[in-house]
Amino acid sequence: MSLLAVCAFSTWGFAGEIHAPANVQAGHAFSIPLEGSGQATFYLIGPDHVVKRSVNLGSDLQIEARDVRAAGHYQMILCDASCTSTNFEVKAASGAHLSFFLHPSRVPVSTPNSIDATAFVFDRFFNLVLTPTVVDFQITPATGTGFSRQNSTRDGVTWLRLDSTPHEGRVQVTAGLNGGAGNNAAGNVEEARVIQQVAAEACALRMKVEQSGNTVTLETDPVRDCSGNALPDGTIVSFTKVDQAGRSTVDTPIKKGVARTQFSVTGSARISIACGVVLGNEVALNGRSGGKS
Amino acid sequence: MKWALVTFITAATVVLVALAWLQSGGLQQHAMFSAATPEAAVRALMTQVQSHNFDQAYAALDPSSNTDLSSFVQDVAGSNSSLRTYSSLQSVDVSPLHADNDHAVVRLRMTWSSAVGSLDDVRDVNVKRDGSVWRVVWPKPAFQAVPPQVVSVNYLRWEVIGRNTSQAWGAQDVDSPKVRITSMNAISRPGRVVILGEVENEDTIPAYLNVNATLLKADGSPIDEEGSFDLISHVLLPKQVSPYRIDFPGVRLDSVKSVRMDARALLVPASADPVIAATNQAVSKDGLNRNVLKGELVNQSGRPVNIAQVLAAYYDDQGKVIWVSDGYVDQALMPQVPVPFAVDIPDDIAARLKNYRVLVNHYSRSSS
């Protein structure tokens, strides 16, 4: 009986307390001294996995880098005849990845505060970096000069609100971690997104009329917004004609910058035009061939 | 005993033969060829049409009918994958308008059932006496033939390349189209509440749109939620405006405190073709003395439109939408060929309407 007890104590030793380091960075190996003698079982319980290992007391316990990749709350447990445990936090490493949202993907020109650029900073293990990190935003419009802004993250995120410019076309917005002050990134990290600035509502919508016998051909001037940008092809323009035969309407898409349609006219007629909620000019035909007022 | 068996077998044979005759349409055929009144002649003809016995129906027409079998079948059964080809004759109402010894005019109201609801076709048909029976004069339908030609179609088409789902969170994507409800009006109708108005695609890309409404009580709890179903143009091209109507049967307007609207738009591939004009629109009365908005649809592109739906929004003198109604056209829209349409208007709305606007939904069998 006493021999068995000796054997047992020699195999499962006496473990003292374990002490975790105060600061642990994700993906960094570290070691902790184990007091006592003999063997024990070590458990490391992390946010995304659990490690179980037999250890020799009285030596240093090496925690591999791969065991502390995930940032968050960890618990170490050392068990022999009894168990002792301690907790520690693993913090994200320096920024190495960006998740960058640029919203919306299309925006009408000349609209204030219409563009949202939001960047989340992650380390190389995709832990959200909660320490303030500087993010560079580079804005490059299709025409005109670009500009940049620097924002520091708060709780892992930073954002920017921008006005759309008066000219249609692509605007590239790039978010980057440049390894500058307050940023420990090893190299430059950039994420680029593109936003399409599109024409706003039609402005000064006008049509011209050509009459040939009982047929009138209606064609708009090039349809543009108030900043002079052409509305894209496929945009619907509604023509309405009212004459003795009744009312006729047709929704025609813009093609090559203009919308065009034909109507038969009986007697005098009034013809109007609209694009969305924007009304254009109205033309009155007096019933004589080619006559209009 | 022996005679009883013979009598039973003979009687059973007579009954079975009579049943077979009835089942094979003998009664209708008898009625057709012995139509003693103009109304009976029209009913008998429609019975054959209902049974798809077009050859027999055509054979029963008056010889003065200047139509051929093909045109007759096309007239009553439809063609070119039109809505009529997917419909069946549900019921027939016949009422005499005029009659003398040899000639009568009968109002024929055919109600066709289809997947999109029932469709009425009202015609005044001439009926002539032929000896002891009456026969229907069926005029040759005025189908306009499209002359052989090549029509170039170069309208815009939008295709969508979506985000690859394997890409990282935050990767570049294309937003859904931006749509806006430009007007909303809640009105009370007999036995229901109706929400109606207009919605605009404000974006530069096409939208597939659904408008839903939730009626709320004073305490904020929902009474009912409904969608616009087919009383909207679901596919809206850039800057296009569609009326919508949402019906809440069995709800009283005084029980509604507020309405929550929800317009959901999806990015879909679409084509700017075909362009359909709604011409010669006018409010008038139909053959049943109902208020209707009548007009013609003209398909201005080169591809046939198999099924067309007319959506009409009616405005009062202040420009407010007071009603939205729709009607399906049971003929296919062949290029450049005008096809008549008619949309019902309730009497009280007709008395108040100041203006109206028509939009055409379309379905083409070969479209993608």
Side-chain angles (χ1 to χ4, degrees), chain B residues 220-239:
Chain B
S221 61
I223 300 170
D224 194 6
E225 181 181 352
E226 298 284 351
S228 50
F229 193 50
D230 68 341
L231 282 164
I232 190 173
S233 178
H234 286 289
V235 177
L236 281 188
L237 297 182
K239 303 287 186 274

Side-chain angles (χ1 to χ4, degrees), chain B residues 74-86:
Chain B
Q74 197 174 338
D75 193 11
V76 294
S79 61
N80 296 312
S81 299
S82 66
L83 187 57
R84 179 64 69 85
T85 62
Y86 301 108

Side-chain angles (χ1 to χ4, degrees), chain B residues 339-355:
Chain B
V339 172
F341 72 86
V343 183
D344 289 345
I345 311 172
D347 291 343
D348 59 323
I349 301 293
R352 289 166 53 208
L353 81 87
K354 183 75 176 174
N355 202 354

Side-chain angles (χ1 to χ4, degrees), chain A residues 106 108, chain B residues 176-180 200-203 205 265:
Chain A
R106 296 172 307 283
Chain B
S176 295
K178 193 178 171 195
V179 297
R180 184 165 64 103
E200 184 200 2
N201 177 5
E202 290 188 307
D203 218 316
I205 55 171

Side-chain angles (χ1 to χ4, degrees), chain B residues 37-367:
Chain B
T37 63
E39 294 93 311
V42 175
R43 282 186 198 284
L45 179 73
M46 287 299 110
T47 304
Q48 294 295 345
V49 169
Q50 198 166 23
S51 308
H52 289 224
N53 295 328
F54 299 119
D55 289 350
Q56 292 179 22
Y58 179 72
L61 295 179
D62 188 80
S64 65
S65 302
N66 59 353
T67 187
D68 54 86
L69 175 61
S70 166
S71 300
F72 174 70
V73 174
Q74 197 174 338
D75 193 11
V76 294
S79 61
N80 296 312
S81 299
S82 66
L83 187 57
R84 179 64 69 85
T85 62
Y86 301 108
S87 308
S88 58
L89 184 57
Q90 189 178 14
S91 63
V92 172
D93 280 341
V94 174
S95 54
L97 293 179
H98 161 78
D100 56 30
N101 282 342
D102 299 322
H103 175 255
V105 179
V106 174
R107 175 153 294 165
L108 166 64
R109 179 182 178 182
M110 295 176 278
T111 303
W112 297 82
S113 63
S114 74
V116 293
S118 62
L119 304 163
D120 282 343
D121 185 355
V122 180
R123 303 184 188 200
D124 293 343
V125 294
N126 289 297
V127 190
K128 277 187 177 176
R129 181 188 288 278
D130 182 13
S132 61
V133 297
W134 289 81
R135 293 179 184 276
V136 175
V137 180
W138 199 271
K140 186 177 177 69
F143 294 125
Q144 288 189 35
V146 189
Q149 60 186 295
V150 176
V151 179
S152 64
V153 175
N154 56 357
Y155 284 103
L156 193 67
R157 183 174 168 80
W158 294 263
E159 298 290 353
V160 180
I161 301 171
R163 178 187 155 197
N164 187 342
T165 52
S166 66
Q167 286 177 317
W169 183 57
Q172 178 95 49
D173 202 359
V174 186
D175 288 339
S176 295
K178 193 178 171 195
V179 297
R180 184 165 64 103
I181 293 174
T182 54
S183 70
M184 190 278 275
N185 188 13
I187 61 171
S188 178
R189 302 295 297 172
R192 61 188 161 148
V193 167
V194 175
I195 305 294
L196 39 78
E198 289 181 309
V199 59
E200 184 200 2
N201 177 5
E202 290 188 307
D203 218 316
T204 53
I205 55 171
Y208 183 88
L209 179 68
N210 258 320
V211 175
N212 295 314
T214 307
L215 303 184
L216 302 173
K217 294 179 191 169
D219 62 1
S221 61
I223 300 170
D224 194 6
E225 181 181 352
E226 298 284 351
S228 50
F229 193 50
D230 68 341
L231 282 164
I232 190 173
S233 178
H234 286 289
V235 177
L236 281 188
L237 297 182
K239 303 287 186 274
Q240 197 167 22
V241 179
S242 170
Y244 64 87
R245 193 182 99 197
I246 305 169
D247 290 0
F248 291 88
V251 180
R252 290 168 54 89
L253 188 59
D254 54 13
S255 66
V256 179
K257 175 67 177 173
S258 60
V259 182
R260 189 166 58 218
M261 301 298 296
D262 180 21
R264 291 182 186 172
L266 297 174
L267 180 58
V268 290
S271 169
D273 184 52
V275 173
I276 300 171
T279 62
N280 302 336
Q281 305 159 33
V283 176
S284 60
K285 300 270 187 184
D286 69 358
L288 302 172
N289 205 32
R290 297 176 301 191
N291 289 298
V292 289
L293 173 61
K294 283 184 176 178
E296 290 178 332
L297 301 182
V298 182
N299 175 4
Q300 296 185 341
S301 75
R303 189 174 60 180
V305 170
N306 302 107
I307 296 174
Q309 181 201 17
V310 176
L311 277 171
Y314 307 96
Y315 308 87
D316 63 8
D317 53 1
Q318 295 176 344
K320 198 155 114 180
V321 181
I322 52 172
W323 190 243
V324 174
S325 61
D326 77 318
Y328 283 87
V329 178
D330 61 1
Q331 289 183 49
L333 306 184
M334 302 307 285
Q336 310 301 331
V337 176
V339 172
F341 72 86
V343 183
D344 289 345
I345 311 172
D347 291 343
D348 59 323
I349 301 293
R352 289 166 53 208
L353 81 87
K354 183 75 176 174
N355 202 354
Y356 52 85
R357 194 173 75 83
V358 167
L359 185 72
V360 184
N361 271 333
H362 55 84
Y363 168 77
S364 295
R365 194 175 52 173
S366 56
S367 69

